[in-house]
């Protein structure tokens, strides 16, 4: 089965001038690039893969599923379910904070 079936893959261009590297995706300069890794393992796929790390001020996950955080972050996060069960916040209050971008 082809990976490209029904998918529109972006065009990625990596431009390096000395110590400065820019990554362009469909002609747009990707901001905040910390590192990149180019992988082309033809035994798995004929398509090359670009992996990268990005600096970000905030990361917003707009999803119904939240991935499990690494253990190092556990002291900094509280389950909204636990806040609701403890009577600290209601679901409506939590949703209001989310809409305002405060959570």
């Amino acid at each position: 089965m082809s990976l490209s079936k029904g998918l529109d893959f972006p065009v990625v261009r990596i431009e390096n001038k000395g110590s400065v590297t820019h990554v362009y995706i469909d002609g747009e300069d990707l901001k905040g690039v910390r590192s990149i890794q180019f992988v082309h393992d033809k035994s798995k796929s004929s398509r090359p893969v670009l992996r990268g790390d990005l600096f970000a001020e905030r990361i917003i996950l707009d999803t119904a599923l939240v991935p499990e955080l690494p253990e190092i972050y556990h002291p900094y996060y509280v389950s909204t379910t636990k806040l609701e069960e403890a009577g600290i916040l209601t679901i409506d209050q939590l949703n209001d904070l989310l809409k305002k971008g405060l959570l």
Side-chain angles (χ1 to χ4, degrees):
M1 182 171 103
S2 171
L3 283 175
S4 63
K5 202 171 221 176
L7 298 177
D8 187 19
F9 288 106
V11 174
V12 177
R13 185 177 61 134
I14 302 168
E15 182 180 281
N16 177 262
K17 294 182 180 175
S19 64
V20 178
T21 300
H22 288 274
V23 177
Y24 298 89
I25 299 178
D26 290 335
E28 296 289 325
D29 192 3
L30 187 60
K31 303 292 184 207
V33 175
R34 179 177 164 235
S35 67
I36 57 171
Q37 179 185 16
F38 176 77
V39 180
H40 197 181
D41 185 350
K42 289 187 177 186
S43 69
K44 294 183 180 180
S45 170
S46 63
R47 296 215 179 257
V49 174
L50 181 67
R51 295 184 180 128
D53 293 335
L54 301 175
F55 289 113
E57 181 68 30
R58 296 176 78 190
I59 297 176
I60 300 167
L61 300 174
D62 188 2
T63 178
L65 302 172
V66 178
E68 184 176 346
L69 295 169
E71 176 112 13
I72 192 169
Y73 296 112
H74 287 194
Y76 303 102
Y77 291 87
V78 177
S79 164
T80 55
T81 304
K82 288 182 181 178
L83 292 174
E84 181 191 12
E85 289 171 355
I88 296 169
L89 290 173
T90 67
I91 289 294
D92 290 336
Q93 289 170 322
L94 287 168
N95 286 334
D96 188 47
L97 290 169
L98 287 169
K99 285 180 191 173
K100 292 178 180 176
L102 299 173
L103 288 180

